Amino acid sequence: MLAFILRRLVQSVAVLLVVGLVAFFLFRYVGDPINGMVGQDTPAVEREALKQKLGLNDPAPIQFLHFVGNAARGWFGLSYRTSEPVNRMILERLPATLELSFCAALFALLVGVPMGVYTGLYPRHWSSRALQAISLIGVSLPTFVIGILLILVFSVILHWLPSFGRGETVDLGWWTTNFLRWKGIEALIMPSITLGLFQLTLIMRLVRSEMLEVMRTDYIKFARARGLTNRAVNFGHALKNTLVPVITVTGLQLGSLIAFSVVTETVFAWPGVGQLFIQSVQFVDIPVMAAYLMLIGLLFVLINLAVDLLYFAVDPRLRGGGLARAGGH
Amino acid sequence: MAQWLARAADSDVWWSFKSSATTVIAAIVTLLIIFIAFLSPVLAPHTPFDPSTLSLTDGLKPPVFIGDDGDWSFPLGTDDQGRDVLSSIMYGTRLSLGVGFAAVVVAMVIGITLGLFSGYFGGAVDAVIMRIADVQLTFPAILVALLIDGIARGILTGQRHDEIAVFVIVGAIGLSFWVQYARTVRGSVLVEKNKEYVQAARVIGLSPILIMFRHVLPNVTGPVLVIATINLGLAIITEATLSFLGVGLPSTQPSLGTLIRLGNELLQSGEWWITVFPAATLAALVLAVNLLGDWLRDALNPKLR
Amino acid sequence: MMATNAPPLLEVKNLRVEFPTRRGTLVAVDDVSFEIAPGEVLGVVGESGAGKSLTGNSIIGLLEPPGRIAGGEVRLEGRRIDNLPYEEMRKVRGARIGAIFQDPLTSLNPLYSVGRQLIETIQTHKQVSAAQAQARALALLKEVGIPGAEHRIDHYPHQFSGGMRQRVVIALALCADPRLIVADEPTTALDVSIQAQIIALLKRLCREHRTAVMLVTHDMGVIAETADRVAVMYAGRIAEIGPVRDVIKHAQHPYTKGLMGSIPHLGERGGRLTQIDGAMPRLTEIPRGCAFNPRCEFRGARCLVERPELMAAGASRAACWLHDAKGVGAPLSKDGAKELANV
């Protein structure tokens, strides 16, 4: 098990290095770091001196090492657009995105899994067919359209919920949170639903098809032949066996929630890192783009590691590899 | 031909198509939208993006079936510039579909080619291509497309970027969807690679790659078609999203996504029709395409799910 | 053997199983009737597709949709069970009828220890404490011959070999002391060397517990060694049923004869193995009259038009006109058969 985790760690670092390479090329060759730091009218001599000082004349591999070293310490230079340190800009906005993604994930899981189980257990029931049809509509509606429709109904027409911003937040010094004020929670509702809906339908469809698959297996039939109750068969035996693929995909989906928040944050003017990224693409703010890329890469790697650890908790076949061969004859 | 038709009519695929009312409706809706969109220059009542035909006095008219301000020459109302919403949607759909199809073709060509190389050469080529695929898969397509678009903006200047925005978008979306095709083709190539006809081709001096291509392609037509149909829906959504975010097609060349973005700015003041009709069109189009994709997947390969 | 005056444990009467398909309804089990006495082992033998597994699944009420029981009835201890509501049937399954499936590798849930699966089954059917259930689980594992049962009880299925897993499956089937066990190809997925052990185990346990067995298999050797009576199935119907010794030594149905002729016997030198020409018809194209007629060397005109029911034939019962007073009718040439078949 330790070897497995070590191998995964090495793979994770490799993935991060590849992402870092892309970010580095962006940073170094697409944008001009000097232009980002000095005015248009700075004489060429000064530019050259700055270039020398920043090590931009070093061979590319050395520069990449510097970039990776800086990135590891969280330093991505200054934003071209605001001249603020990129890491501070991102840290300021990260809580907004993480809280939104967390709520969206919760929504997607708490609604998606039960819906998937239900439609998987009773695939021929009319309500399952209805849910299945609704889920397809959910997949077909682009996130931003769902957001706009929600705003139209609940803000413009009914005036129930705010259409933009985080509402009221509480600053805890290192973190700003929505959860401590009713206005903040109110502001979270529509963005979370918008962001989570696509993942919800995906999770529901996945759980459904996994359930259908598992229900056909011999051990479920044998569990029935043993006379176990429906409850024990469906939830004790079937649901648990769907967990491994569901955890994999859900894990990846939670990662992409953070990336998908780009769209939701734009629709609801949510002051998170996604909005920052869109602005950086529009203004070609390369350091911010590079830093965002690395951030997403890091989050994905962390989530993947968490998913791997969860496998061990669920599936005994992965645990104690040596024991597998000890079986007597 | 008649024989071929008769065989097609008796096939399981055709049977499953006929017996699913939803699929038939989806197919009709898709064809209808494609038909109307591509004939929009002929069918549309106005040419909304020719400034000389616009008049600000026509601005913000509601649809005809609401209130008394409606005007039958603008059945779905107008936007703040006096552009006919119906005509904008027809032209916008044409662009959205065009970009979607083109992006899928780009993804397919890149994916099939890389998959073929990856499977055939194996070793380092395979490792590099498949690792790139792995890393790319960890990022959602929309992010990859955004990134590619951002890079294009960094390289091209603003004016130039708008001119070739369509190509940038097609490229960006195409590049973000190739992985699935590559994996499918690679798998098939690995199966075919060691078969005798490939060895035979080499012995008699034919290019083994070409020979394999000819044999592998029929094997992967089914799965590739399924992926392509599902991708078409995704590509249309991705383009709409990019345009909505303001990094896709410019307002001089509006797709459905651009129209929704422009309308969104007027949503708060109650002019909902400028947003809702393009959004409904987009949803109907993608839903119809997804239904077709879903059915195709089940009909061609029940195991693929 | 079968005590003729004791009421049968299981009665299957005119059982018919259908599969609706888009090209019409397939009849997979057609008018099958038999009985099993308490403690008796009935072998059911036939080629794959003959309907033997479907018959077994119908008895335990686990026919997979779209297959359905379209006619007939199944009675256990005099009580009709084929039309019970799901929950009622659930209480019969495991408690009164145990089941053993073909593949021990896939019959056990990989995510739970074998002990947990045993205890769960025991507690579902018996009002016992957790400790009692644990003790019974351990006793069962010992009884089916799992060495080191005390610590093996906490192991997961993947830590057992195929033969050991089938022993666990047998323990699971015996959890609630069922009166009947439906064993569907219990040894097919196992190594030949293990097969004999499992069959011996099954035979011993059933004798000790006075449990009747319906042993579904395509292996005549297993039947010969284990069963009291045997039913030979062909194309969804019973071709011949009778005491195992009689069926093997004096087969009455031409199909059974062919089946027996294809088994090599130890110590019989020089005899040729026979084979039956052709293959069992698909369910979509079962011929009129006797389903076996295209492959039968004794067929007459009657076999092409009239379907034989089971009738007394020696010590057994066989569905063949050869045993009818009127016989098979006019003999047929090969071409004549074709002409008549086209009528």
Side-chain angles (χ1 to χ4, degrees), chain A residues 130-166:
Chain A
L131 282 177
Q132 183 72 355
I134 293 171
S135 81
L136 197 64
I137 298 176
V139 176
S140 304
L141 276 177
T143 309
F144 68 97
V145 170
I146 292 167
I148 288 172
L149 291 182
L150 285 178
I151 290 178
L152 179 65
V153 174
F154 294 102
S155 303
V156 179
I157 299 176
L158 295 173
H159 300 288
W160 286 357
L161 294 168
S163 66
F164 65 91
R166 284 184 87 181

Side-chain angles (χ1 to χ4, degrees), chain C residues 41-117:
Chain C
V41 178
L42 174 75
V44 178
V45 71
E47 298 168 50
S48 44
K52 50 195 195 311
S53 290
L54 288 172
T55 307
N57 286 343
S58 306
I59 291 167
I60 56 174
L62 287 179
L63 208 54
E64 272 167 47
R68 59 188 179 90
I69 296 180
E73 56 180 55
V74 180
R75 284 178 186 272
L76 183 75
E77 298 166 320
R79 175 187 180 210
R80 193 162 170 198
I81 57 168
D82 59 285
N83 56 358
L84 287 182
Y86 184 86
E87 183 56 23
E88 287 298 304
M89 189 59 203
R90 178 188 76 68
K91 289 182 187 150
V92 173
R93 273 198 299 267
R96 311 300 300 162
I97 310 180
I100 299 170
F101 290 160
Q102 178 171 7
D103 192 351
L105 299 179
T106 55
S107 292
L108 298 168
N109 188 333
L111 301 187
Y112 293 122
S113 67
V114 298
R116 211 197 126 157
Q117 298 187 48

Side-chain angles (χ1 to χ4, degrees), chain B residues 12 15, chain C residues 22-23:
Chain B
D12 284 358
W15 184 83
Chain C
R22 72 172 169 110
R23 305 229 189 254

